[in-house]
Amino acid sequence: MEVVNALGRRKRAIARIYVSEGTGKITINKRDLTQYFPSSILQYVVKQPLNKLGVAEKYDIKVNLYGGGFTGQSQALRLAISRALVKINPEDKPALRAEGFMTRDPRSVERKKAGQPKARKRFQFSKR
């Protein structure tokens, strides 16, 4: 199998991944998954598509990850992994779509408006 690449985005985070056959090692920005995401919840989010298909020990994944915060980065990586797995085996797509792993989350931060302290918050109104 040759190297399969994919891209995942969430908020401001962008994950570019390269999947090859291997032993299940995930390397993010030249660091191990457990070092990059110390939280077990974020590690779980990243591995969700692999565990769903039961191929967690089958592929090595190299990741370039930048932008956003750690939650957005983990979800961007999950989308990228899902897309790569579908490139490898298109029959897996319905199973991943049913779990919601194939959908790009379009929500992002709303811009701040002029004359307001935040996007929707208003300054206190005074009648007199």
Side-chain angles (χ1 to χ4, degrees):
M1 173 191 139
E2 74 283 353
V3 175
V4 175
N5 63 333
L7 180 77
R9 292 190 187 95
R10 168 79 170 97
K11 291 186 172 184
R12 304 291 287 166
I14 300 172
R16 295 176 193 280
I17 72 163
Y18 304 91
V19 179
S20 57
E21 278 185 18
T23 58
K25 193 168 175 358
I26 299 176
T27 310
I28 305 170
N29 296 348
K30 298 180 181 165
R31 284 155 59 192
D32 191 55
L33 172 70
T34 53
Q35 279 185 311
Y36 196 87
F37 291 124
S39 163
S40 58
I41 295 165
L42 297 178
Q43 292 174 27
Y44 171 75
V45 166
V46 167
K47 291 180 178 176
Q48 274 180 312
L50 297 166
N51 292 334
K52 173 72 180 161
L53 300 176
V55 294
E57 307 301 315
K58 200 174 169 190
Y59 301 112
D60 281 349
I61 302 173
K62 258 191 74 195
V63 185
N64 293 332
L65 193 53
Y66 61 93
F70 46 83
T71 304
Q73 285 190 345
S74 66
Q75 292 172 3
L77 181 50
R78 177 175 70 183
L79 177 62
I81 289 171
S82 300
R83 286 177 171 174
L85 291 173
V86 167
K87 273 188 185 178
I88 292 167
N89 186 5
E91 286 92 65
D92 294 335
K93 191 170 184 176
L96 293 172
R97 181 164 290 292
E99 294 288 325
F101 300 152
M102 294 303 296
T103 307
R104 154 72 157 104
D105 194 338
R107 296 175 297 168
S108 62
V109 179
E110 191 173 331
R111 79 175 192 85
K112 183 193 169 301
K113 315 302 186 303
Q116 294 174 207
K118 289 161 83 175
R120 297 199 176 196
K121 187 176 184 179
R122 303 275 199 264
F123 287 116
Q124 187 171 347
F125 175 75
S126 171
K127 199 165 196 175
R128 288 178 220 353

